[in-house]
Amino acid sequence: MKVKGNAGEHLTTNAPYGYMKDPDNSKHWIPDREAADVVYEIGLYVMDGFGPSQIARKLRERKILTPAAYYESKGIPCNVKKQGDPYGWDNTTIAGIMDRWREYLGHTVNFKTTKKSYKSKKKIKNPESEWVIFENTHEPIWTEAIAEAVKQARQSRRRPTKMGEMGMFSGMMYCADCGSILYQCRATGFRKDQEYYICSGYRKGKQVCGTPHSIRTVILEKLILQNLREIVSFARSHENRFVQMVMDMDVKERNKGLAKKRKLLSEGEKRITELDIIFKRLYEDNISGKLTDERFHKLSTDYEAEQTGLQTRAAILREEIEEVEGKSANVDRFLSVVRQYTDIPELTPRILHEFVEKIVIHAATDPHSKINRRQEVDIYYKGIGILEMFKVFDSRQK
Ligand SMILES: [Zn+2]
């Protein structure tokens, strides 16, 4: 089992719902078209902001066979427990499918569970650190964007909202000061325009986050939609200028971080050279008798320790610098998404997730003033990051 798992072979007897064993090679999974389409649609529902219970209801209404009923109808033996209702989808089944986003992206995940003992059939879950993942082992059913939405939905599930619905921004909003995730709150009476996102760090207490970072959902939607429209129309009508702008900004952004690291590195390197000279002098002094053996030993040990420390740090810095230098904006991906949309009449979860990677909310300055209230919102677009030229502020009253 261990050898097979570490070699990237599938350890489960059955392929996950949506896949089947390749008739030509039982070690290989291929999509089971009918079931794969259902899995794909579940992914799209997630992108539209629906939670597991709502998705289950939709599938029940559409009279889609549950995995167990589907296998039965095809005469495929399976270990999924049968239910009376062939359309009886429930939130656990949907959540189970969502939790396999890695498999639906085309990766193999081994050692998720272990048997308690040889005798017992009971399985225990292994921590994620013990999983072994093999990438691109089979055809994906979900796109990266879908998998990302699913992952984020599962990560932010610990706080379901009262109506059981997840807001479309859930899992992608962060506090500028404490870095915590923002979650959606509903006001009493379920007034849609009173829904807001608030920093989870602030809720934990003042020592985690001092000021309430929050923003109303309707305002956020408006801001993002406006910003997206501006950028998309600019990118479409001035493609070359847009590419140039993103590239320049990317270089500037990266140089900011690089300058600091390069300075630290050159300081470290200078000291390493200095220490070499000091060593040489110590040695000469010791030979000529100016320095006792004992003293020489003590000093050289100290300097050596310092130099070893510096060398380790320099190596780490060099690696970090190389990494930043190697990364560059993926403006092509962004433009290919831009070309898919001639017009963005409204912000849908799908559009949001295709374009936006994350949103960082700053605390409002002068929050109670009608005139001076200003709140900065950083929108990180997928593949290109923040666009300074299109920076967003909200100066509306709360
Ligand atoms: Zn915070």
Side-chain angles (χ1 to χ4, degrees):
M1 208 63 163
K2 203 148 194 188
V3 174
K4 271 180 153 186
N6 280 321
E9 282 187 35
H10 300 301
L11 296 182
T12 45
T13 340
N14 299 308
Y17 175 68
Y19 287 105
M20 57 189 213
K21 283 181 181 169
D22 187 340
D24 298 330
N25 173 9
S26 66
K27 285 180 184 171
H28 189 232
W29 291 347
I30 53 168
D32 174 355
R33 268 300 137 215
E34 231 178 301
D37 285 347
V38 177
V39 172
Y40 181 69
E41 287 211 36
I42 291 172
L44 292 182
Y45 279 134
V46 174
M47 284 205 110
D48 283 334
F50 295 112
S53 315
Q54 292 169 306
I55 298 173
R57 197 171 61 227
K58 285 184 183 293
L59 297 181
R60 280 201 301 272
E61 283 166 5
R62 288 176 50 194
K63 294 213 183 308
I64 300 215
L65 292 175
T66 61
Y70 172 74
Y71 287 132
E72 204 189 354
S73 76
K74 296 268 160 184
I76 305 168
C78 82
N79 52 8
V80 189
K81 238 193 275 161
K82 268 183 216 97
Q83 285 168 320
D85 182 1
Y87 314 117
W89 287 90
D90 58 24
N91 56 348
T92 335
T93 316
I94 305 290
I97 287 171
M98 288 168 76
D99 283 339
R100 306 194 80 160
W101 57 268
R102 287 186 185 83
E103 280 89 345
Y104 293 130
L105 259 185
H107 311 324
T108 297
V109 186
N110 282 337
F111 307 116
K112 273 183 162 177
T113 56
T114 31
K115 273 187 195 151
K116 256 187 166 167
S117 72
Y118 284 107
K119 282 177 194 163
S120 138
K121 274 196 169 173
K122 239 189 173 170
K123 281 179 183 169
I124 41 170
K125 278 186 187 161
N126 288 333
E128 272 195 43
S129 57
E130 285 173 25
W131 297 2
V132 182
I133 298 168
F134 298 89
E135 296 202 328
N136 311 316
T137 51
H138 47 272
E139 190 182 316
I141 295 177
W142 283 346
T143 61
E144 290 280 347
I146 292 179
E148 194 56 36
V150 170
K151 198 170 92 187
Q152 290 183 347
R154 291 303 283 161
Q155 276 165 357
S156 57
R157 83 194 122 134
R158 61 208 158 82
R159 199 178 283 276
T161 46
K162 273 184 191 161
M163 286 160 84
E165 185 192 327
M166 299 174 291
M168 74 165 128
F169 299 103
S170 288
M172 65 186 324
M173 302 215 352
Y174 299 89
C175 167
D177 291 318
C178 75
S180 299
I181 205 151
L182 272 74
Y183 62 88
Q184 186 171 245
C185 289
R186 285 201 159 74
T188 45
F190 297 122
R191 278 190 51 198
K192 195 112 184 97
D193 63 329
Q194 292 302 324
E195 285 173 13
Y196 61 98
Y197 279 86
I198 187 156
C199 167
S200 56
Y202 179 71
R203 277 290 166 96
K204 279 180 204 139
K206 283 240 151 90
Q207 67 281 4
V208 182
C209 195
T211 37
H213 294 71
S214 71
I215 189 161
R216 261 167 58 204
T217 311
V218 277
I219 291 178
L220 187 68
E221 268 182 43
K222 252 185 233 162
L223 281 179
I224 307 263
L225 180 60
Q226 271 172 12
N227 198 246
L228 194 54
R229 275 185 184 148
E230 274 175 43
I231 289 174
V232 166
S233 89
F234 182 86
R236 190 176 302 112
S237 46
H238 310 279
E239 196 170 305
N240 291 338
R241 256 178 76 199
F242 182 76
V243 172
Q244 195 53 51
M245 189 183 86
V246 172
M247 293 303 178
D248 289 350
M249 226 190 38
D250 183 49
V251 170
K252 217 174 92 193
E253 248 338 278
R254 283 185 296 151
N255 280 346
K256 254 196 252 165
L258 278 176
K260 212 173 142 193
K261 287 195 167 69
R262 286 209 182 102
K263 190 165 168 259
L264 280 171
L265 179 63
S266 85
E267 280 167 5
E269 279 169 339
K270 208 176 128 205
R271 179 68 183 155
I272 291 170
T273 324
E274 261 173 38
L275 287 168
D276 275 337
I277 300 164
I278 294 172
F279 271 135
K280 216 173 146 230
R281 260 189 230 135
L282 283 180
Y283 181 71
E284 283 162 6
D285 287 354
N286 181 241
I287 295 283
S288 66
K290 269 192 210 162
L291 200 65
T292 64
D293 284 350
E294 204 185 16
R295 194 84 190 109
F296 172 73
H297 185 71
K298 166 90 180 71
L299 286 172
S300 60
T301 320
D302 288 353
Y303 285 130
E304 217 166 306
E306 189 190 342
Q307 202 178 39
T308 314
L310 282 168
Q311 274 158 348
T312 317
R313 239 172 295 153
I316 294 170
L317 278 168
R318 264 182 229 118
E319 237 169 66
E320 287 175 352
I321 290 169
E322 234 169 72
E323 205 199 309
V324 181
E325 281 174 341
K327 243 195 262 165
S328 65
N330 189 353
V331 71
D332 287 343
R333 187 218 164 258
F334 190 84
L335 286 173
S336 79
V337 182
V338 165
R339 285 184 209 112
Q340 289 169 29
Y341 295 92
T342 40
D343 160 47
I344 302 177
E346 58 166 343
L347 192 65
T348 66
R350 223 175 287 189
I351 290 177
L352 175 71
H353 286 277
E354 288 227 274
F355 283 104
V356 179
E357 189 183 323
K358 65 170 181 179
I359 302 161
V360 174
I361 302 292
H362 293 256
T365 49
D366 224 343
H368 303 294
S369 156
K370 272 202 163 56
I371 307 147
N372 296 326
R373 183 183 184 279
R374 225 167 134 74
Q375 183 167 23
E376 203 178 317
V377 176
D378 296 338
I379 307 170
Y380 287 79
Y381 286 97
K382 280 198 175 149
I384 56 179
I386 306 186
L387 295 171
E388 276 310 316
M389 209 176 120
F390 296 96
K391 206 146 175 56
V392 186
F393 292 97
D394 171 46
S395 50
R396 266 160 285 210
Q397 267 297 91
K398 254 201 183 176

